[in-house]
Amino acid sequence: MPTASPNPSPTRFDWMQIDLTGKVALVTGASRGIGAAIASTMASSGAKVMLTSRKQADLEATAAEIDGEVDVIAAHVGDADSGDATIAATIERFGRLDILVNNAATNPYYGPTLGVDVPRWDKTFEVNLRGPLLWSAAAHRLAFAEQPGVIVNIASVGGLRTEGALGVYNLTKAALIHLTRQLAGEIGPTRVVGIAPGLVTTDFAQVLVDNFGERLAAELPLGRLGDPSDIANLATFLASDLAAWITGETYVIDGGAGVRGASF
Ligand SMILES: NC(=O)c1ccc[n+]([C@@H]2O[C@H](COP(=O)([O-])OP(=O)(O)OC[C@H]3O[C@@H](n4cnc5c(N)ncnc54)[C@H](OP(=O)(O)O)[C@@H]3O)[C@@H](O)[C@H]2O)c1
């Protein structure tokens, strides 16, 4: 009677290899943090990747570190025409577009929601919500209407709960989660999926990491804060054909914070 498989896990996981060969991805906010990790992981899975954010020099430095076929275009996701121009340039450069990752975001205001001024309210919604809307529209019009693709929206656990000083930012993320569901229903078979990360160690979260990171990490079942690679692995899976029957949903990835109600 057999007692143990000679080679259990490698054979079981071979079929799970994520392969994006032949696909072209465009990642916003790709010069650092989570976006850079997503661009790198997708490139190492075989995709050709266009990295975009506002600063050309930062993009070039990040792209130089990535092993794979990548290029860069500087663009501000809040500019109304930037989605069309960047997606057209990506198709021109790589011949097609299969994956759009709406990752760039900003948070210019910390404080009580009712205390926000109009310029910072507008700025937060322009970058975090109107940007993904217009870039998704451009991707659909210029590529996915003909050849269905995948849109991955990077939201936040803050879009699913209330938090003290992050009310305005969280409103944009709640709306992005809803936009994910809405678009999935409107533009299928293009898949539209969301990711809601907990606290991840990036420049964006530096203040939160400095003030609450140690305590929060100790409260998490998995005992540490998120690394950009954690989010990149999920984004790459969701963008791949392994996730071919997933659309409209947003996936929490937070080291188990939700299990214990851990927050800052
Ligand atoms: N870190 C966390 O704990 C955490 C948790 C939940 C959700 N998230 C979400 O994860 C995403 C990535 O965050 P991150 O922590 O990786 O941030 P990050 O390290 O600050 O990186 C942000 C990226 O977005 C770019 N960017 C900012 N404003 C832009 C604009 N108007 N147009 C184009 N690009 C812009 C930045 O480059 P330039 O400055 O050169 O433009 C940079 O590449 C965001 O959607 C964020 O809301 C983060």
Side-chain angles (χ1 to χ4, degrees):
M1 195 166 138
T3 50
S5 163
N7 190 14
S9 43
T11 22
R12 289 179 56 191
F13 285 99
D14 268 355
W15 68 274
M16 282 284 288
Q17 193 66 43
I18 298 177
D19 184 10
L20 298 183
T21 303
K23 312 244 186 219
V24 173
L26 170 60
V27 183
T28 74
S31 63
R32 59 177 186 266
I34 292 168
I38 292 172
S40 175
T41 304
M42 288 190 174
S44 69
S45 299
K48 295 174 185 165
V49 184
M50 184 65 82
L51 289 75
T52 183
S53 70
R54 288 167 300 181
K55 297 177 195 115
Q56 180 80 16
D58 291 357
L59 285 167
E60 284 171 4
T62 300
E65 299 286 309
I66 294 179
D67 191 15
E69 194 170 348
V70 300
D71 207 344
V72 306
I73 304 177
H76 186 317
V77 298
D79 289 344
D81 298 329
S82 62
D84 279 73
T86 310
I87 285 158
T90 303
I91 295 169
E92 169 90 19
R93 171 70 177 83
F94 289 130
R96 54 188 291 140
L97 180 72
D98 303 280
I99 300 160
L100 168 65
V101 183
N102 287 311
N103 167 75
T106 190
N107 182 27
Y109 176 74
Y110 285 93
T113 305
L114 295 183
V116 69
D117 52 277
V118 170
R120 281 186 290 179
W121 170 276
D122 284 350
K123 173 88 180 163
T124 316
F125 275 79
E126 177 189 284
V127 174
N128 298 7
L129 188 61
R130 198 184 73 178
L133 171 80
L134 295 181
W135 284 57
S136 299
H140 179 64
R141 195 170 56 254
L142 299 176
F144 300 161
E146 203 170 306
Q147 177 68 42
V150 186
I151 297 171
V152 181
N153 291 322
I154 307 301
S156 169
V157 288
L160 298 164
R161 66 186 190 208
T162 60
E163 280 165 340
L166 289 169
V168 174
Y169 166 81
N170 285 348
L171 277 166
T172 67
K173 295 301 190 178
L176 185 59
I177 291 167
H178 196 81
L179 182 68
T180 299
R181 294 183 76 78
Q182 182 70 29
L183 288 185
E186 292 185 16
I187 63 172
T190 283
R191 298 190 296 108
V192 190
V193 293
I195 295 177
L199 193 58
V200 180
T201 53
T202 66
D203 291 357
F204 189 77
Q206 197 57 54
V207 173
L208 295 172
V209 171
D210 289 347
N211 288 312
F212 309 106
E214 207 173 320
R215 195 227 338 124
L216 184 64
E219 287 175 15
L220 297 182
L222 298 185
R224 64 170 175 85
L225 301 181
D227 183 83
S229 62
D230 295 314
I231 313 307
N233 289 343
L234 179 57
T236 303
F237 165 72
L238 287 172
S240 78
D241 292 342
L242 291 175
W245 208 46
I246 295 177
T247 197
E249 301 300 336
T250 292
Y251 293 87
V252 171
I253 172 166
D254 66 354
V259 173
R260 294 223 176 119
S263 186
F264 33 83

